[in-house]
Amino acid sequence: MTSHKTTQTMKPATAAKKLGVYLEATPAEFQEGVVTRSELNALQAEPPQWLQELRRNGPHPRPVVASKLGVSIAGLARGGVTEALTTEQIDALKQENPEWLQKERTTQAEVRKEAVRIKEKQAERRQSGS
């Protein structure tokens, strides 16, 4: 009995998420097709011009926008940012530094600090054997 290896494919939305780009900004042929695992690997290894351009200038999907601003996705929503933003728009927001962004950055920093504290406490427990 021989095993037949099928080519693993994914929807364009999944591939765009893995590439860290906003699907609606990708070329039509990318949006309309399916992407194989090897095509995704090729795009990651040697990004074509359109992908380099999208990663550099956007528009960026919300997870990327949140990361670039140092806030959570929920924090973006609380700040009223629901659309994809370009690098230029993100830079303008950083310059403007509105109150909501300052607040969300502080919240995010506290969340990270707490996560580290919990991790250290768990490591301590494991070492003491209790």
Side-chain angles (χ1 to χ4, degrees):
M1 193 164 135
T2 59
S3 68
H4 173 77
K5 188 170 187 207
T6 57
T7 304
Q8 189 181 5
T9 60
M10 61 194 83
K11 292 178 182 166
T14 305
K17 190 180 257 184
K18 288 180 184 288
L19 292 168
V21 295
Y22 186 56
L23 178 63
E24 284 74 12
T26 61
E29 60 271 15
F30 181 87
Q31 291 181 40
E32 293 161 6
V34 292
V35 181
T36 65
R37 173 68 58 196
S38 58
E39 287 170 335
L40 179 71
N41 292 342
L43 286 169
Q44 288 173 320
E46 291 183 34
Q49 191 62 45
W50 66 264
L51 182 53
Q52 291 175 33
E53 193 64 28
L54 268 182
R55 285 178 168 168
R56 191 176 316 116
N57 300 316
H60 304 285
R62 286 182 313 158
V64 174
V65 173
S67 173
K68 286 180 181 278
L69 289 174
V71 300
S72 67
I73 294 174
L76 276 183
R78 286 190 291 270
V81 178
T82 56
E83 298 297 313
L85 298 180
T86 63
T87 300
E88 197 176 305
Q89 290 169 312
I90 292 168
D91 290 344
L93 253 179
K94 286 179 180 176
Q95 286 294 311
E96 211 175 280
N97 202 13
E99 195 175 316
W100 72 264
L101 182 57
Q102 295 171 37
K103 186 174 172 241
E104 290 301 335
R105 282 180 163 169
T106 302
T107 300
Q108 190 69 4
E110 287 168 5
V111 166
R112 285 191 191 112
K113 232 186 287 180
E114 181 63 7
V116 167
R117 188 191 69 75
I118 290 169
K119 204 175 200 176
E120 286 170 352
K121 194 166 185 106
Q122 289 170 340
E124 252 174 53
R125 280 199 195 120
R126 280 193 296 272
Q127 285 177 348
S128 65
S130 52

